[in-house]
Amino acid sequence: MKVRIVGDDLVAWTLAGALASTGCKVNMQADELPLPESEAAEPDLLRLLQRQMDAGRLNLAASTQEADLLLLAEPDVALPELKAQIQPFLDAGVSHFRQQLIALVQPVAIGTTDQLQDWLDQLVSQSAASSAVSVVYWPAFIQAGRALESFLRPERILLGSHDEQATDFIRRLLNPFNRSRDTLLVMPPKEAELTKLAINGMLATRVSYMNELAQLAGVRGIDIEQVRQGMGTDSRIGFQYLYPGCGFGGQAFLNTLSQLNQELDSQHSSGLLHSVCAINEQQKDLLFQKLWRFYRADLSGKTFAIWGVAFKPNTAAIDGSPALKLIESLLAHGARVCVYDPMALPALKKHLPDAALVYAESAEQAVAQADGLLLVTEWKEFWNLDMAQIKAQMSTPLLLDGRNIYNPAALAEQGWIYSGIGRGRDL
């Protein structure tokens, strides 16, 4: 099968690598493979992409050459931009689509797939072409930090399609990833578009609900971690997305929530999700507020270490990361900020090129003479460090744990001043 992909973000690259690995001839609109500092620079994905290029199954070049499938994978693209992306292929001739199939893989506004189909049907009828071009909605559930794994072993494959031939084609394309059990769920495009938005809305709601509970737990002297474990044992709830923290990020995730909010606004029913998003923005300010209270509003001249600036572990992306707001607030109040992240520092330097930040090469280096340590991203390398040694390097043994990865009692025995999200000391 020949596949043409428009887009060059994490989703597009993951689709390119995975499909090429099954024998597809994939043409990608890009000049080079993802750079090491890009959000798509996940090691297993980069290795796969290089292997597919070496094998000749992945080609990087702008082209309108013959294809069985055109994948539109650029994020946050409205209907006019989608039409503009398709137009060059139509100008080259509908015959360039041997199967005449287009798939949208990024979240779109409800009704976009059908509107695009209507537009193409009109163009085909006006040109007296022999057959129509079919459009399907195939949202990618690709997770940053484990992009390749999340595609190769999908929990579900969602397809919005009215066309049985198009559905059969996508089913054949995905057979290599759908053999253990049939995870393909087919429904009309509008239902699929809302399903994708609704899933992310529900996940965000769970996180914000836990953050509200954590706020209550902190006030009442309750350990939210034990509450979380108790909630998760209920099979109707489970443990996924029950972790309180200092706010969620990720541009794709936030864009989906924004789209859902717009849809709800149009129906005057946006109360819950607006509250969910508002709670998340409040959480991003939580660590700074704790620090502000602890030092009685005097942060000027003090040094603070930040561990983690990526919006989640195992990714170099910082879009929507709570660390960005935290860093800006600390600098605005005259503090010295030293940051460390295993992957995301190049992205931070690009995002804040003029900021007076100190970039550390290790977690240990970041805390030297620090007046406080703020953990924002729960990278695995932070979990089992020698915290007694870390404490010995600091001016003040203050640890604000934005992801609740440490044991408050154990740190208290070492002499730490510890405050997490709904556990430990409530600063």
Side-chain angles (χ1 to χ4, degrees):
M1 297 180 181
K2 294 184 178 180
V3 180
R4 174 77 183 132
I5 299 178
V6 177
D8 63 353
D9 69 345
L10 178 63
V11 169
W13 284 114
T14 302
L15 291 170
L19 294 177
S21 72
T22 68
C24 290
K25 295 289 187 180
V26 178
N27 187 273
M28 188 83 175
Q29 186 176 332
D31 296 326
E32 58 185 355
L33 291 179
L35 298 174
E37 64 269 18
S38 73
E39 67 162 359
E42 298 187 12
D44 55 347
L45 177 57
L46 290 181
R47 288 192 294 268
L48 178 64
L49 290 169
Q50 188 62 61
R51 287 199 302 271
Q52 302 314 308
M53 281 195 66
D54 294 342
R57 289 187 290 267
L58 175 60
N59 180 44
L60 306 184
S63 171
T64 55
Q65 66 183 15
E66 185 181 78
D68 299 302
L69 172 66
L70 174 64
L71 289 181
L72 301 183
E74 286 192 356
D76 198 24
V77 177
L79 184 61
E81 288 77 17
L82 289 171
K83 292 179 179 179
Q85 291 175 358
I86 295 172
Q87 193 63 55
F89 298 90
L90 298 179
D91 293 342
V94 174
S95 62
H96 280 67
F97 296 103
R98 295 190 301 179
Q99 300 294 331
Q100 292 146 321
L101 179 59
I102 298 172
L104 311 180
V105 299
Q106 297 281 13
V108 295
I110 296 173
T112 297
T113 307
D114 286 342
Q115 292 171 30
L116 198 58
Q117 183 69 73
D118 291 343
W119 173 70
L120 287 167
D121 288 345
Q122 292 177 10
L123 291 181
V124 170
S125 64
Q126 292 170 3
S127 64
S130 59
S131 59
V133 179
S134 294
V135 184
V136 299
Y137 179 59
W138 171 32
F141 291 90
I142 292 171
Q143 302 173 27
R146 53 182 299 269
L148 194 57
E149 179 189 1
S150 62
F151 183 82
L152 298 179
R153 299 175 179 83
E155 294 181 359
R156 102 287 295 157
I157 301 172
L158 183 63
L159 182 65
S161 172
H162 290 303
D163 187 323
E164 289 187 8
Q165 289 186 338
T167 300
D168 290 341
F169 180 90
I170 296 295
R171 186 184 296 275
R172 293 196 307 274
L173 182 72
L174 298 179
N175 273 342
F177 318 113
N178 197 36
R179 294 195 68 190
S180 298
R181 61 185 178 91
D182 189 0
T183 61
L184 182 63
L185 180 61
V186 182
M187 59 182 69
K190 285 183 180 178
E191 280 76 359
E193 290 163 350
L194 180 54
T195 299
K196 172 60 176 177
L197 299 179
I199 288 173
N200 283 2
M202 178 60 76
L203 297 179
T205 299
R206 286 170 66 97
V207 174
S208 287
Y209 177 59
M210 286 304 299
N211 282 330
E212 279 209 310
L213 290 179
Q215 183 178 6
L216 173 61
V219 172
R220 300 296 294 272
I222 297 169
D223 186 354
I224 192 62
E225 175 62 15
Q226 297 187 45
V227 176
R228 182 191 69 81
Q229 293 183 16
M231 292 173 63
T233 59
D234 190 316
S235 61
R236 297 168 299 177
I237 298 174
F239 289 95
Q240 292 293 316
Y241 284 77
L242 279 191
Y243 295 93
C246 56
F248 55 77
Q251 197 58 55
F253 193 72
L254 295 176
N255 284 347
T256 306
L257 296 182
S258 177
Q259 287 179 342
L260 183 54
N261 255 325
Q262 292 175 18
E263 297 287 353
L264 293 171
D265 282 342
S266 68
Q267 302 300 316
H268 309 290
S269 57
S270 57
L272 176 59
L273 193 60
H274 270 293
S275 297
V276 166
C277 294
I279 291 170
N280 186 55
E281 289 306 306
Q282 292 170 8
Q283 288 300 116
K284 292 181 180 181
D285 197 43
L286 184 60
L287 296 186
F288 178 80
Q289 292 299 327
K290 286 174 177 281
L291 205 60
W292 181 261
R293 291 190 293 268
F294 182 83
Y295 280 109
R296 301 180 184 275
D298 182 16
L299 304 180
S300 180
K302 294 181 172 59
T303 298
F304 299 105
I306 293 179
W307 282 357
V309 295
F311 81 90
K312 66 183 293 188
N314 304 317
T315 179
I318 62 172
D319 299 308
S321 170
L324 300 180
K325 186 173 184 179
L326 176 59
I327 289 169
E328 291 171 353
S329 297
L330 289 172
L331 293 177
H333 287 84
R336 178 178 180 270
V337 181
C338 186
V339 296
Y340 170 70
D341 187 286
M343 290 179 63
L345 293 186
L348 180 63
K349 292 176 183 178
K350 184 177 180 180
H351 183 78
L352 298 173
D354 300 322
L357 293 172
V358 178
Y359 294 93
E361 296 182 358
S362 68
E364 291 84 357
Q365 186 184 85
V367 300
Q369 303 303 310
D371 297 292
L373 167 60
L374 300 91
L375 185 140
V376 178
T377 313
E378 65 277 28
W379 288 92
K380 293 301 184 186
E381 69 177 77
F382 298 151
W383 287 69
N384 292 316
L385 291 171
D386 186 341
M387 297 306 291
Q389 183 183 27
I390 296 293
K391 172 177 169 288
Q393 298 181 57
M394 298 178 62
S395 296
T396 304
L398 172 65
L399 171 55
L400 304 184
D401 183 358
R403 300 300 174 185
N404 286 354
I405 72 172
Y406 297 116
N407 184 310
L411 291 184
E413 289 180 1
Q414 295 181 11
W416 283 92
I417 304 167
Y418 173 88
S419 182
I421 310 299
R423 63 194 320 233
R425 181 173 175 180
D426 185 32
L427 298 181

